[in-house]
Amino acid sequence: MASLQKQNNIHIDESLISRQMEFCKMNAELLLQRFGTRPKALVKIYGCQQNISDGQRIEGLLEAMGFDFCDNTEDADLVLFDTCAVRGHAEDRIYGNVGALKAFKARRKNRIVAVCGCMVQQSFVAEKFKKSYPHVDLLFGTHVQHKFPELLYEVLSKGSRVFDISGQGTIAEHIPTRRTGVKGWLPVMYGCNNFCTYCIVPYVRGRERSRNPEDIIAEAKEMIKEGYREITLLGQNVNSYGKNFEKPYSFANLLRDINALSGDFIIRFMTSHPKDLTDELIDALADCEKVAHHLHLPVQSGSDRILKSMNRVYTREHYLDLVKKVRKRIPDISLTSDIIVGFPGESEQDFADTLSLIEEVGYSALFTFAYSPREGTPAAKMEDQIPAEEKSRRLTVLSSIQEKISEQQNKKYLGKTLRVLCEGPSKKEGYLNGRSGGNISVEFAGDATLVNEFVNVKITEPLSFVLKGEIAE
Ligand code: SAH
Ligand code: SF4
Ligand code: F3S
């Protein structure tokens, strides 16, 4: 029902996707001719859950072209990298790994090398791949992902290299999706409008746009039917969901509507931005019995000066008030966060403010990053960049303090029985891994038949990164 959207031009519906499905069929024939047998694809996905979810659509399209999947580069006829640009480290790895495919291609010239995703959406990166990586046959950006079959057709039929980072924000519906694993990813919106000064995401993902609730709910139903017991709703800032709709419909409405679907499953979501976490959403979190009691609420820094310079648009006080409010409403909520250390100009005092904030909040887990300058973002041009050694020193200090906090936080689970979704075998023989509602890793003895089942686990030994326990009666 595209009528909900104020901007219908960004909505790509069934008829346009059916054109892409025609290309899939044509590609299937060309691929059979090219390889003489059913082709195999290796898809490597970097970055966040949004990228994993994109990757599952790309794999769905590959499947429609007759591809089987493999894990080993040598077995592959096509290698596709879905890339991430969030930190320099991620990009360096990708340059290295794509570079290494030169020999892979040289050994068998008919092989295909493709790169897509956030990193290559940057025009200087696309240029670099074009010029210095001649073994890359196909490169496409985040806005034309739904056109992958058409772009590949050009490579296959003309033998030419294809590079396309054109386009504006799109919402492409009805793309076949190849889901694997226990975790069900469900994008609710794309893009970001926040322009935190360190962040590349708004530049490579475009402006915020929300999928229609009908499309999301239909996909959730499909996932439940497929047997998914955990659905994670994805967006860079889910609090902005629905802002482009004519009829008011918020993320809280969406949570309630998905909560009302029948089936034994839990709902998670990420990420909410502290600047606009509403009471309405906190209420929905508290009311909906299927929504896990976990809130990922990235704070980034505990210093007002740095928060301002990051353009996060909230203060330390506002954040701490939110935490109080959420805990009051949902006492057993587990809170997690992202922190950047070594943002330009971060003094010892600013860093100390971050340390005191994490002590005050008591997160169950923290994702910590050393600031990485991203070309084209305001922070990359700021003076007073922090030396790499100092950033890594702060990272070490932060992580070791958080380790103690997590250990302390996790003690409250000793002797408690938690409902855990079993994800798979753990490294320890005979043991399984899963996650509690609070999204904490749980390890217990059990056999593989329990994977993708909810299991009640009594916690016997809570550690900082994992709760060890045993299956309860
Ligand atoms: N939209 C989400 C975050 C997406 S990126 C949010 O606003 O919370 C995930 C995390 O990567 C961010 O929360 C931030 O902590 C980190 N990050 C983003 N850009 C970074 C950079 N340039 N250097 C280091 N860490 C960065
Ligand atoms: Fe990046 Fe900020 Fe948008 Fe998150 S909210 S994706 S950190 S710009
Ligand atoms: Fe995600 Fe990396 Fe893109 S974190 S949105 S894949 S830049």
Side-chain angles (χ1 to χ4, degrees):
M1 196 186 81
S3 63
L4 255 179
Q5 303 274 347
K6 271 183 206 159
Q7 301 151 284
N8 288 327
N9 56 329
I10 58 173
H11 197 268
I12 296 186
D13 61 21
E14 218 152 344
S15 62
L16 285 153
I17 295 304
S18 65
R19 186 177 128 86
Q20 294 303 320
M21 298 314 287
E22 287 302 311
F23 280 109
C24 285
K25 277 190 215 138
M26 294 193 281
N27 287 349
E29 267 172 45
L30 292 174
L31 286 159
L32 266 181
Q33 282 167 25
R34 191 177 177 114
F35 298 113
T37 169
R38 242 180 112 85
K40 285 197 183 68
L42 173 76
V43 178
K44 249 182 131 146
I45 300 164
Y46 299 84
C48 63
Q49 289 81 358
Q50 189 80 63
N51 245 22
I52 300 178
S53 152
D54 284 356
Q56 295 184 338
R57 309 268 205 239
I58 289 168
E59 289 190 6
L61 291 168
L62 284 167
E63 213 164 35
M65 296 177 208
F67 275 95
D68 287 328
F69 296 89
C70 60
D71 306 319
N72 186 321
T73 329
E74 238 3 88
D75 297 337
D77 298 303
L78 174 145
V79 173
L80 180 140
F81 286 178
D82 192 0
T83 63
C84 170
V86 81
R87 281 169 292 274
H89 177 70
E91 292 200 339
D92 294 343
R93 253 176 59 211
I94 292 162
Y95 277 129
N97 292 350
V98 177
L101 291 177
K102 194 168 178 180
F104 156 87
K105 173 101 178 172
R107 277 196 291 281
R108 189 149 58 72
K109 293 229 163 2
N110 64 355
R111 280 169 162 163
I112 300 160
V113 175
V115 281
C116 66
C118 293
M119 174 177 170
V120 304
Q121 185 65 46
Q122 304 168 95
S123 52
F124 73 94
V125 175
E127 272 312 306
K128 184 165 167 177
F129 275 117
K130 201 168 183 174
K131 250 177 68 195
S132 312
Y133 293 73
H135 60 289
V136 172
D137 303 291
L138 171 60
L139 178 149
F140 55 100
T142 56
H143 300 288
V144 289
Q145 252 164 34
H146 59 283
K147 279 166 76 180
F148 169 46
E150 184 174 351
L151 300 172
L152 185 61
Y153 178 77
E154 236 177 281
V155 173
L156 294 171
S157 63
K158 296 190 192 135
S160 52
R161 299 175 78 203
V162 174
F163 285 69
D164 188 350
I165 54 166
S166 70
Q168 287 289 322
T170 47
I171 302 178
E173 295 298 350
H174 308 289
I175 301 183
T177 305
R178 178 178 180 258
R179 294 190 194 86
T180 53
V182 170
K183 296 185 160 297
W185 307 115
L186 180 51
V188 305
M189 60 189 298
Y190 306 99
C192 181
N193 287 356
N194 291 320
F195 290 96
C196 304
T197 54
Y198 51 81
C199 187
I200 196 72
V201 171
Y203 303 89
V204 295
R205 288 266 171 188
R207 294 297 63 75
E208 267 170 12
R209 52 222 185 260
S210 303
R211 296 178 70 191
N212 287 328
E214 292 79 356
D215 293 323
I216 299 169
I217 291 165
E219 192 170 346
K221 281 186 184 156
E222 198 181 293
M223 291 165 81
I224 297 162
K225 215 161 105 190
E226 279 173 35
Y228 277 89
R229 299 192 182 275
E230 176 182 287
I231 295 179
T232 303
L233 308 177
L234 298 174
Q236 294 300 343
N237 176 19
V238 294
N239 306 335
S240 299
Y241 176 80
K243 285 205 172 142
N244 56 323
F245 292 162
E246 263 166 7
K247 228 170 54 186
Y249 185 89
S250 67
F251 186 65
N253 294 129
L254 184 65
L255 272 186
R256 288 180 191 276
D257 284 347
I258 296 179
N259 188 67
L261 299 178
S262 53
D264 189 14
F265 65 97
I266 59 167
I267 305 165
R268 300 185 184 279
F269 60 93
M270 62 193 309
T271 300
S272 15
H273 195 301
K275 77 178 160 69
D276 50 11
L277 178 73
T278 59
D279 291 353
E280 190 201 3
L281 180 55
I282 299 172
D283 285 341
L285 229 169
D287 294 345
C288 295
E289 73 288 353
K290 286 176 183 143
V291 178
H293 284 188
H294 168 223
L295 184 63
H296 183 59
L297 196 64
V299 68
Q300 312 298 355
S301 168
S303 151
D304 280 340
R305 215 171 60 81
I306 296 298
L307 286 172
K308 188 151 192 233
S309 181
M310 285 176 163
N311 191 34
R312 288 294 286 183
V313 230
Y314 54 82
T315 60
R316 174 191 176 99
E317 195 190 349
H318 172 82
Y319 186 90
L320 289 172
D321 284 347
L322 265 183
V323 166
K324 268 193 215 124
K325 187 155 55 169
V326 173
R327 281 229 168 97
K328 194 165 169 213
R329 190 83 172 79
I330 311 156
D332 70 341
I333 193 110
S334 142
L335 293 167
T336 56
S337 191
D338 295 347
I339 301 248
I340 297 177
V341 298
F343 185 80
E346 186 188 68
S347 64
E348 273 304 323
Q349 183 55 51
D350 295 318
F351 180 55
D353 289 346
T354 296
L355 297 181
S356 76
L357 180 131
I358 67 161
E359 298 268 10
E360 204 170 328
V361 174
Y363 293 110
S364 54
L366 209 55
F367 300 89
T368 56
F369 309 103
Y371 168 70
S372 166
R374 308 282 66 222
E375 194 168 323
T377 62
K381 293 195 275 299
M382 287 178 187
E383 281 170 19
D384 208 3
Q385 298 282 332
I386 309 294
E389 315 78 71
E390 180 56 19
K391 287 193 261 194
S392 66
R393 188 193 68 82
R394 290 182 192 177
L395 204 56
T396 310
V397 173
L398 181 69
S399 313
S400 71
I401 292 179
Q402 179 55 40
E403 197 179 324
K404 292 196 194 87
I405 297 172
S406 296
E407 199 185 327
Q408 194 56 39
Q409 284 291 320
N410 286 346
K411 275 191 185 146
K412 62 174 174 265
Y413 298 115
L414 181 66
K416 295 247 164 72
T417 297
L418 302 178
R419 189 163 185 253
V420 173
L421 179 61
C422 183
E423 291 180 355
S426 93
K427 283 193 201 107
K428 207 159 110 189
E429 182 78 32
Y431 283 75
L432 298 171
N433 254 329
R435 274 179 189 270
S436 70
N439 209 31
I440 304 168
S441 179
V442 180
E443 191 188 70
F444 54 97
D447 67 83
T449 56
L450 295 174
V451 173
N452 200 38
E453 299 293 336
F454 289 109
V455 184
N456 289 323
V457 179
K458 185 168 176 188
I459 305 306
T460 52
E461 193 189 354
L463 303 176
S464 49
F465 299 116
V466 64
L467 307 174
K468 296 191 174 182
E470 50 203 36
I471 296 177
E473 302 282 287

